[in-house]
Amino acid sequence: MTTHIDTRSVSDFTEYAYLNYAMYVIMDRALPHIADGLKPVQRRIVYAMSELGLKHTAKPKKSARTVGDVLGKYHPHGDIACYEAMVLMAQPFSYRYPLISGQGNWGSPDDPKSFAAMRYTEAKMSQYANTLLAELEQGTVDWQDNFDGSLTEPVTLPARLPNILLNGTTGIAVGMATDIPPHNLNEVVKACIRLLKNPDLSVKQLAQSIPAPDLPTTAEIITPKDELITMYETGRGSYKMRATYHIDPNQKNLVVIDALPYQVSGNKIIEQIAKLMNDKKLPWVVDANDESDNANPCRIVIELKKGKLDIDKIMSHLFANTDLETSFRVNMNMIGVNGKPEVKNLKTILSEWLSVRRGVVIRRLNHRLDKIDKRLHILAGLLIAYLNIDEVIRIIREEDDPKLELMNRYGLSDIQADAILDIKLRQLAKLEEIELNAERDHLEAERAVIAEQLANPDALTALLIDELTADAKEHGDARRSPVVERDEATSLKATELISAEPVTVVISQAGWIRLAKGHSTDPREMNYRAGDGYLTHALGKSTERLILLDNTGRSYGLDTVNLPSARGQGDPITSLLNLASGSKIEQLLFNTPHNIIMASSTGYGFVNSINNLDTAQKAGKTSINLGDGTLLPVALIDEADTLVAVSISNGNLLIFPLDDLPQLAKGKGNKLVNLKGDETITAITSLSADDSLVISAGKRTLTLKPNDIANYTGKRAGRGAALPKGFGKVNAMTKLIKDSE
């Protein structure tokens, strides 16, 4: 006996299994259905609560009771996952219109996951949830077997409102995801009514009623209008939310944040601000505290330095660098009427939901019509009995089979005969007959209305509009998230909002840097570490960038706010800059609107701008090619300067026109003097024709008057003339401006 075994390749089996799993995740776990806007687990939670009698008017029951029913009857998955889905529907800061009203600890905006265990919390359905369930038992939806076939559950709920847009949802499936933002009920209903009246409306026209999402927070939506319209036209995009703030009326240096973007934690904001402060990227902030309480659900206080600060610019800086401004992705992917996942635009969503709603209402009306017809049939039989009450009583008392006799005598149906036989003696009063006639007339009038609604599409549309209007009146509220146009948030440089104060920057021989306020400090008299001492310093303003030059010709830039105070002995410059091995900072100057002369000891130089030396790179940048030489102290060029003075190690001095030097951003430059043998340049400076030149050689100084300077004037790349005896080793040259003599 041989048994045939069906075989498949591993690839075929894997593909089949993966596709089945993918479809299961998409259809039964991750994506909501357009009809009620719910995922399967959410739908089962709501239905299970309705079966437990947990209406909004009922007394709440333990959440564990609900979770147990959901798992045992409809959703055999993890209890924690089920409870978390339940918690989400109960959090007013997560759902725009919560489906569950909870008692106990259901989490907080700062920590939505901090909810208590399900054995401690209690829950019932919210009043809004009634819009999903009110018509459930009226023949409005299809039913399916539960997982073991022992019970039935609704395929979807007969939502009276487009919950898919009102509460939105997020989810990750296999190969796709969904991010549908919540919206305002009144706005969505208004758009639905407009679409019912005019099905040809465009998305742009519908966006007049639904300008943007509406989140359960009063933070601002700042996305431009045209981007929001594009988002609704495509079903994809994003929108930005920005925190709102005000200035404390009593303390002008306190900024109070009173609303955060959706699902942004106040604790996280405090952490982000603290990190910026530690990284010295927020020099204007003294402190930040979260003072939120029951009276003020969101109150984050930022203390600024006292003084004249542009608070709006500081907040713009915070918006750009923290979650005080957050972008949210939109991907309106859902299970449509056709049972397939699809990204839909705003009009498609509303149109498709309205078609679902129209179908639900038609089914409800037909269900009601059927009940009316059955009741009218019974009433007709009862009224026949009342018209012949004496004979009916006789038949019931005397006949062996009164039911059959009644049916034959008066042409009654089986149901009518049973209704007559079920009449109680006290119902035989004349008043009861009057009530039966009144009930019949009322039902016939109702039947006529329903018949007209079913037969006339315009009448059905009017009914839909009336019901939407009534639900909006009962459950609607004002928009919470204002739509505001704001300038784009931008990061600021640390110096942009600091007051201009005089500062002195000092660097030691060992490379330790510090900053002292004012210009009165004598850097040479400061305390230095053992074995260390003064190297150089620079005078400037707190708003100016500090330029540093090393012995290799590289330049660096720093904000003064990032420098340690001179109250201590400073920090190693290597903690602020990435210096190459063997490199050492030798010169400091502030980034002022000056040109400078940069020169090497080998006799080459050029004119540069201080601004060209600045860089944000910690490793700096090459500013001059020194070759085998060393970098001379840079010389600041004043507007009146027209000459360049260069001293040679042999004791010569050459003065030539400043215009003979090229202006470069970096490089080697042109030859300054004609050097011979081991000669080098010892000093360089610029001056005007009216300035005197002070030459220092050791402890000796020589002042050359303007008339004397002519003796050393020549062409660039010349040799100049010899200085007086004793000035063979010039170590410095400075100009003496005429007015200061």
Side-chain angles (χ1 to χ4, degrees), residues 478-489:
R479 166 173 280 276
R480 293 188 191 175
S481 305
V483 184
V484 184
E485 291 189 10
R486 299 290 187 192
D487 294 334
E488 187 174 352

Side-chain angles (χ1 to χ4, degrees), residues 397-415:
R397 291 183 64 187
E398 297 178 359
E399 295 292 335
D400 294 333
D401 190 352
K403 180 179 179 180
L404 182 61
E405 183 64 24
L406 288 171
M407 293 172 65
N408 293 332
R409 178 75 63 90
Y410 300 107
L412 301 175
S413 67
D414 187 79
I415 296 173

Side-chain angles (χ1 to χ4, degrees), residues 697-740:
K699 294 182 179 181
R700 301 184 66 184
T701 60
L702 171 67
T703 300
L704 298 178
K705 300 290 185 179
N707 293 334
D708 301 326
I709 289 175
N711 298 326
Y712 302 93
T713 302
K715 293 183 178 181
R716 180 183 62 80
R719 294 283 294 173
L723 290 166
K725 190 175 180 180
F727 291 90
K729 295 183 178 180
V730 176
N731 60 310
M733 292 190 296
T734 58
K735 58 188 174 187
L736 187 62
I737 299 174
K738 184 178 180 181
D739 295 338
S740 64

Side-chain angles (χ1 to χ4, degrees), residues 486-519:
R486 299 290 187 192
D487 294 334
E488 187 174 352
T490 55
S491 295
L492 299 175
K493 294 181 179 179
T495 56
E496 287 190 59
L497 295 175
I498 298 178
S499 57
E501 299 176 349
V503 292
T504 302
V505 179
V506 184
I507 192 166
S508 72
Q509 296 173 10
W512 290 71
I513 194 168
R514 48 184 152 168
L515 177 141
K517 293 183 178 180
H519 290 167

Side-chain angles (χ1 to χ4, degrees), residues 577-641:
L577 302 174
N578 296 332
L579 299 180
S581 178
S583 298
K584 181 181 178 182
I585 300 298
E586 291 185 339
Q587 298 185 48
L588 303 175
L589 65 158
F590 279 88
N591 191 350
T592 57
H594 279 88
N595 284 340
I596 56 174
I597 299 175
M598 300 188 74
S600 68
S601 62
T602 54
Y604 290 84
F606 57 92
V607 175
N608 199 350
S609 169
I610 296 180
N611 189 57
N612 287 335
L613 304 181
D614 198 358
T615 176
Q617 299 177 18
K618 286 189 174 184
K621 67 178 183 178
T622 301
S623 295
I624 183 172
N625 183 5
L626 298 176
D628 296 329
T630 59
L631 177 64
L632 296 179
V634 297
L636 289 178
I637 301 174
D638 292 326
E639 290 185 5
D641 292 349

Side-chain angles (χ1 to χ4, degrees), residues 137-159:
E137 303 298 334
Q138 300 180 33
T140 50
V141 295
D142 295 328
W143 294 74
Q144 63 186 9
D145 290 338
N146 69 339
F147 63 92
D148 63 358
S150 60
L151 297 167
T152 58
E153 59 177 325
V155 176
T156 59
L157 297 180

Side-chain angles (χ1 to χ4, degrees), residues 234-284:
T234 61
R236 290 188 175 92
S238 64
Y239 62 95
K240 286 183 180 178
M241 294 198 78
R242 180 179 290 182
T244 58
Y245 67 93
H246 67 272
I247 300 169
D248 191 293
N250 300 320
Q251 301 184 62
K252 302 298 183 182
N253 65 319
L254 296 184
V255 178
V256 181
I257 298 176
D258 43 39
L260 293 174
Y262 180 55
Q263 293 184 332
V264 171
S265 163
N267 290 336
K268 186 177 181 181
I269 294 297
I270 296 295
E271 290 174 2
Q272 290 176 335
I273 293 176
K275 186 177 187 304
L276 289 173
M277 293 172 66
N278 291 334
D279 294 342
K280 298 182 179 180
K281 295 180 179 179
L282 204 60
W284 320 282

